[in-house]
Amino acid sequence: MRALLLCLFGLVTVSSDLAFAQMKLPSKAAPAPGGSEVRYFTSIDGLMSGNADVVLKEIRQGKTVTAAVLDVCYPVEKGSDRKDRFVANLTVSGQNLTGSTQSIGDKLPVTVNLARKASADGFEFRGRITIGQAVTEVASTDNSDLSEKEFLDNQTTDDGITPVPKDFTEVSPESIGVRVKLDAALDFLKSLKGQEVELGLSSLSISCDALRAGEQTINLTADPERSAALIAKARSTQGVVTAGWTTGIVEMDRTIRFAAADWRDGDKINKDKIAAAVSTVLSKTLAAKAAGAAWNANTGKLTLTFKRPSEIYPALGLTDSVEVTALVSPDKPGASDRLMLWISSPVTSTIDEGAGPKLNLSEGAGGEEEGGEPEDDNGSVEALAREFKGQRWDVDKAAWK
């Protein structure tokens, strides 16, 4: 028997026999016919034990319900990220709301039998919903409703995709978003196999939002030198609605901008020269010896490693391994005579590299808490700005200085 879990988002009103792609909601509430009023329940307390994303649309004449549509989205199994959904047009007979349909994804038969009545604190729903062999008893009290205007005002969503950014100060040069129709998503994802690009695993989960909109947003990470070409290719792919840049790892307070002329080899960024220059600067600011530099072919990220004697217990001769991630790109899409360089805060781990048997060290409860303050980089960003004769970002003025 399948358990039904939580996921809440907006409703697109449709007939129950439509597949994944759904009609868009109007931008403004249209008046209901004959002076009727449209009301919505966007959270029915206790419905399916509180584990379903539910929207119930009612059309009322005065206090009498004349028509209703129930839209329910739910995980197909307990703890599953995969969602299914049904949309049932309900027959209204006094206080009883009944209807049947089938789920959109797994094509399971669905029956709805609910009794609805007003209460002192709102509305009460009781009855049962059956999906396949799974029967869910409904006992939901104290539910409040919304006007159509209130409902529509809550439907605004933003996938964060900017098709044509003026520069890379608000979106990240390596981070790509592609919005694709659900029936074309599988083919698009298969087309990424073998390409030098990373796919965000979380974007494979089709949310209730995506099921109702009929569109899925897929997040990719690619070398900034190839991101524009990948976006252009995505836009020409059947079923893709839009593609562009999104927010990513670049934080402007850790970014510098500098003239590109000395750091290019033809029309390509001279990554070896940049890696060497960054490594030299950070060796000084971090008081550590360079121990490695590697560019990620898929993402274009540079990982630099440094080592220095640990001060935590000098007599043990332990070693601090310091890792810094960097990203270099043009400062905007298209042709530009300037480059941007971002570096992460340093991340330090302590290891035993001494001769003979080793201590196995771990970060215990006394270590740095996740989400705590980043490590001090000893002025690394400012030192890089001097080395590259670059500019820092003025957060207050939102401009390069």
Side-chain angles (χ1 to χ4, degrees):
M1 183 176 293
R2 300 189 174 193
L4 305 175
L5 300 177
L6 173 67
C7 170
L8 174 61
F9 242 90
L11 169 68
V12 181
T13 303
V14 294
S15 62
S16 60
D17 59 347
L18 286 179
F20 285 119
Q22 305 295 331
M23 294 167 54
K24 299 291 184 182
L25 286 166
S27 58
K28 296 183 179 179
S36 298
E37 182 184 19
V38 178
R39 305 289 295 185
Y40 290 88
F41 294 90
T42 57
S43 61
I44 297 181
D45 177 56
L47 183 62
M48 297 181 180
S49 302
N51 295 324
D53 172 355
V54 181
V55 182
L56 174 63
K57 176 184 178 181
E58 294 183 346
I59 298 177
R60 302 176 189 170
Q61 190 76 42
K63 294 185 178 181
T64 302
V65 178
T66 59
V69 179
L70 179 64
D71 183 325
V72 179
C73 177
Y74 54 93
V76 296
E77 299 284 356
K78 183 177 181 180
S80 173
D81 287 332
R82 187 168 73 87
K83 306 292 192 301
D84 202 352
R85 173 182 172 231
F86 71 80
V87 183
N89 294 314
L90 303 180
T91 299
V92 181
S93 178
Q95 292 184 336
N96 297 319
L97 306 175
T98 60
S100 62
T101 184
Q102 72 175 9
S103 66
I104 294 172
D106 291 341
K107 309 300 181 185
L108 296 173
V110 177
T111 59
V112 179
N113 289 278
L114 297 176
R116 169 198 181 279
K117 69 176 183 179
S119 65
D121 296 316
F123 295 86
E124 178 180 301
F125 295 90
R126 295 186 182 275
R128 65 175 52 185
I129 294 175
T130 303
I131 304 174
Q133 300 299 312
V135 179
T136 301
E137 299 294 333
V138 179
S140 178
T141 60
D142 303 335
N143 299 289
S144 58
D145 57 348
L146 300 173
S147 69
E148 189 164 23
K149 182 180 184 304
E150 291 171 326
F151 175 77
L152 294 175
D153 286 346
N154 290 332
Q155 302 314 301
T156 301
T157 58
D158 182 6
D159 56 19
I161 297 174
T162 304
V164 188
K166 63 180 179 62
D167 55 33
F168 290 128
T169 58
E170 294 186 0
V171 292
S172 204
E174 87 296 348
S175 186
I176 297 170
V178 179
R179 184 150 41 91
V180 60
K181 293 185 179 299
L182 288 179
D183 57 5
L186 178 58
D187 286 341
F188 177 77
L189 290 167
K190 286 182 176 179
S191 75
L192 299 175
K193 290 188 175 184
Q195 294 195 41
E196 291 183 327
V197 62
E198 283 189 359
L199 169 65
L201 187 61
S202 62
S203 63
L204 296 182
S205 298
I206 304 174
S207 66
C208 294
D209 170 27
L211 287 177
R212 286 174 172 146
E215 298 172 356
Q216 178 181 0
T217 298
I218 295 168
N219 298 312
L220 307 173
T221 305
D223 188 319
E225 288 195 284
R226 292 185 286 103
S227 60
L230 285 168
I231 289 170
K233 182 178 179 180
R235 288 173 183 163
S236 66
T237 303
Q238 185 176 4
V240 170
V241 179
T242 189
W245 286 270
T246 66
T247 55
I249 63 170
V250 171
E251 301 165 297
M252 294 310 297
D253 63 344
R254 299 194 62 80
T255 302
I256 65 171
R257 185 177 72 160
F258 54 96
D262 293 337
W263 304 96
R264 279 195 172 130
D265 186 3
D267 60 350
K268 297 290 185 180
I269 296 172
N270 190 330
K271 292 185 174 180
D272 290 340
K273 185 176 180 181
I274 285 179
V278 174
S279 183
T280 298
V281 171
L282 296 187
S283 292
K284 296 175 182 177
T285 58
L286 300 176
K289 291 182 179 180
W295 292 92
N296 186 305
N298 294 330
T299 65
K301 297 173 186 175
L302 169 65
T303 300
L304 295 165
T305 306
F306 304 87
K307 292 185 178 181
R308 64 193 177 197
S310 174
E311 296 297 324
I312 193 169
Y313 201 118
L316 286 175
L318 302 177
T319 300
D320 282 345
S321 179
V322 186
E323 186 173 288
V324 175
T325 302
L327 187 76
V328 63
S329 76
D331 68 333
K332 62 182 180 180
S336 176
D337 60 357
R338 293 179 180 272
L339 298 176
M340 285 171 44
L341 173 67
W342 166 85
I343 63 163
S344 70
S345 296
V347 176
T348 302
S349 57
T350 302
I351 55 180
D352 185 353
E353 293 187 328
K358 306 290 193 294
L359 284 173
N360 297 313
L361 304 171
S362 65
E363 293 290 341
E368 183 180 344
E369 294 288 338
E370 184 177 350
E373 290 295 320
E375 292 184 31
D376 183 8
D377 67 4
N378 199 28
S380 293
V381 179
E382 187 61 40
L384 287 168
R386 291 193 299 270
E387 175 67 21
F388 284 82
K389 300 179 176 61
Q391 299 169 287
R392 297 285 305 274
W393 180 254
D394 188 321
V395 176
D396 294 330
K397 295 181 180 179
W400 294 104
K401 59 181 179 179

